[in-house]
Amino acid sequence: MLGSFEQIQKAFESNRIDGAWLISGAYGFGKKDFVRRACSLLLKQNITSLSTFHPNIKLIECGLTDESKKAIQKNILAGKAVNDDIKLEHRREITVDEIREGIQFLSLKGSSNEKRILIIYLADQMNENAQNALLKALEEPSDGCVLFLLSQNLGKLLPTIKSRCRHISLYPMDDSTLTQIISNKFPMIQDTATIIRLANGSLGLARDICEHDGITLYNRMTSLFLPIEQLSSESVHSFADELNQNPTAFRLFKIFLFDWLMIQIQVNAIVGPLLAENWLDLYYEINQLFIDVDRIYLDKKQVITSAFFKIAEVLHD
C-alpha cells in the first residue's frame, strides 16, 4: 500500500497529477507541509513556504479582517510595530469572490510544461456560495492545473466536492516519534507525557503547547473545575478575559476542555451509564456554544464562563 506522499509521486510520474486533491487531517498533522513538498515536486524547485509569492502558486485562506488590516496600517503610519497593542482577528469564512479569483488564476496560461497550483486552506471554511463556485472548476479541470483542498472537518464540505477529489488522509504521529521530537526540540520541557496525551499524535499541536506554555494553561483550566459552591466567579472571569485576548490560548483551551470532558465521560461510564450520559449531554451542550462562536459570532468570554459554570453544576450534582 502506498504511503500518503508516494501517491502524489506516483501520479506525477505517470502524468496523472492534474485535477483536485483533498488532503485531510486534524490540526497539526502537517497538511501545509505535505502540500509544500508536493509543490516542490510539481514545480521541480524547492518551495520553502506556501505564503511566499510564486507566479505558479496561489494560496487562499481566511485572512485578517478589514478592521485588523486598518489597525496594522494605522500602526505603520504611526511608526509603531505592526502588531503593537492590536488584537488581530481573522475572518471566519472563505468567500465566493476569493474562489473566483482562484479559478481565474488557474485559467491563466503559464510557460510550457509548468503547473499552476491552487491551494485552499482550510477548504471547510468556504461558505456555501464559495463551495458551489468551486464545483465548476472541479467538474471541468484545466490541463496543467492542480488543486489542493486542505481540510480539518470533512463534514463541512459538500459531498459533490469530496466526490470530485482524490482523497489523501494524514494520520497521527506515533507517541515514541513525537516524544523524541519534543525532547530534541524542547529539552527544557518537563511534563512530556501530558503533552503527548493532549497532542494526540499532532506534531503541530505539541509544538504549540510547548511554545505557548500550554501545560500552565491546562493546569490553570483544570484548577477551575470545581463544584458550584467552591467556584470563584472572579477567577473564572479573569481567566476568560485572558483567553479572550489571546487567540492561540483560546484555541488551546478549547482543545484541552474537550479532552478533559471526554475523560469524564469515559471515567463515569465505568461507574454508571446515567453518570456518563450526564457528561455526554454536557459535552454536546458546550460543543454547541463553541459552534455558535463561529456561526453567530457568540462572545468568546461568554462561552468560556458558561462552560465553567455548566461543568460546576454537574460536579455539584
Side-chain angles (χ1 to χ4, degrees), residues 168-225:
I168 293 178
S169 296
L170 302 186
Y171 294 99
M173 187 175 290
D174 65 85
D175 288 353
S176 60
T177 303
L178 193 54
T179 300
Q180 187 63 48
I181 293 174
I182 293 173
S183 299
N184 292 340
K185 191 172 179 62
F186 303 98
M188 301 301 293
I189 294 294
Q190 298 295 319
D191 196 355
T192 305
T194 299
I195 294 173
I196 295 301
R197 182 179 63 76
L198 292 170
N200 195 28
S202 167
L203 175 59
L205 178 53
R207 183 175 58 243
D208 282 352
I209 294 172
C210 294
E211 292 178 349
H212 298 280
D213 200 12
I215 293 299
T216 297
L217 174 67
Y218 178 77
N219 290 334
R220 288 184 65 195
M221 178 192 76
T222 55
S223 72
L224 293 172
F225 291 144

Side-chain angles (χ1 to χ4, degrees), residues 17-31:
I17 191 71
D18 293 358
W21 295 79
L22 177 58
I23 314 299
S24 67
Y27 171 80
F29 277 20
K31 295 181 291 298

Side-chain angles (χ1 to χ4, degrees), residues 38-307:
C39 290
S40 297
L41 175 70
L42 300 182
L43 298 176
K44 301 178 182 179
Q45 55 185 281
N46 183 29
I47 305 298
T48 58
S49 172
L50 298 180
S51 300
T52 303
F53 171 77
H54 191 286
N56 296 88
I57 300 174
K58 183 173 180 63
L59 172 66
I60 297 176
E61 60 183 338
C62 283
L64 294 172
T65 62
D66 291 339
E67 292 77 10
S68 292
K69 290 178 182 177
K70 289 176 182 176
I72 291 174
Q73 185 179 26
K74 184 177 179 180
N75 268 7
I76 292 174
L77 293 175
K80 298 181 181 179
V82 168
N83 60 348
D84 190 19
D85 299 323
I86 299 177
K87 180 184 173 183
L88 296 179
E89 294 283 352
H90 288 261
R91 291 181 290 102
R92 306 191 184 209
E93 62 181 19
I94 296 172
T95 65
V96 64
D97 289 338
E98 291 169 312
I99 295 301
R100 285 170 178 162
E101 287 180 12
I103 294 172
Q104 183 179 12
F105 165 81
L106 291 178
S107 69
L108 301 175
K109 300 298 181 182
S111 58
S112 59
N113 297 323
E114 280 196 337
K115 301 291 183 183
R116 297 190 73 76
I117 304 170
L118 176 64
I119 304 163
I120 304 176
Y121 179 89
L122 294 160
D124 40 70
Q125 291 178 331
M126 291 186 291
N127 61 32
E128 186 174 351
N129 289 336
Q131 293 196 46
N132 285 324
L134 181 64
L135 274 175
K136 185 175 181 181
L138 299 181
E139 292 167 352
E140 303 172 7
S142 303
D143 291 340
C145 295
V146 182
L147 288 78
F148 288 111
L149 281 63
L150 285 64
S151 174
Q152 288 179 188
N153 189 343
L154 291 174
K156 290 186 176 181
L157 288 176
L158 295 174
T160 44
I161 285 183
K162 290 184 283 189
S163 68
R164 287 166 173 77
C165 298
R166 285 170 283 184
H167 186 195
I168 293 178
S169 296
L170 302 186
Y171 294 99
M173 187 175 290
D174 65 85
D175 288 353
S176 60
T177 303
L178 193 54
T179 300
Q180 187 63 48
I181 293 174
I182 293 173
S183 299
N184 292 340
K185 191 172 179 62
F186 303 98
M188 301 301 293
I189 294 294
Q190 298 295 319
D191 196 355
T192 305
T194 299
I195 294 173
I196 295 301
R197 182 179 63 76
L198 292 170
N200 195 28
S202 167
L203 175 59
L205 178 53
R207 183 175 58 243
D208 282 352
I209 294 172
C210 294
E211 292 178 349
H212 298 280
D213 200 12
I215 293 299
T216 297
L217 174 67
Y218 178 77
N219 290 334
R220 288 184 65 195
M221 178 192 76
T222 55
S223 72
L224 293 172
F225 291 144
L226 298 167
I228 193 68
E229 66 273 10
Q230 300 176 27
L231 186 62
S232 164
S233 177
E234 182 180 349
S235 297
V236 170
H237 282 278
S238 175
F239 187 52
D241 280 331
E242 292 179 37
L243 295 178
N244 194 37
Q245 297 297 319
N246 187 330
T248 300
F250 178 78
R251 177 171 53 78
L252 289 175
F253 164 74
K254 178 181 175 182
I255 293 169
F256 296 164
L257 175 63
F258 286 108
D259 175 84
W260 186 86
L261 285 170
M262 187 56 66
I263 290 174
Q264 305 313 306
I265 295 170
Q266 294 167 348
V267 169
N268 282 279
I270 298 173
V271 178
L274 290 179
L275 289 173
E277 187 175 331
N278 289 339
W279 282 101
L280 188 60
D281 289 342
L282 180 64
Y283 182 99
Y284 285 117
E285 189 175 353
I286 292 176
N287 184 56
Q288 187 59 52
L289 290 176
F290 280 94
I291 290 173
D292 287 342
V293 168
D294 294 324
R295 187 175 64 87
I296 59 174
Y297 302 101
L298 193 64
D299 180 63
K300 289 181 180 178
K301 181 179 177 180
Q302 180 183 343
V303 169
I304 296 164
T305 55
S306 294

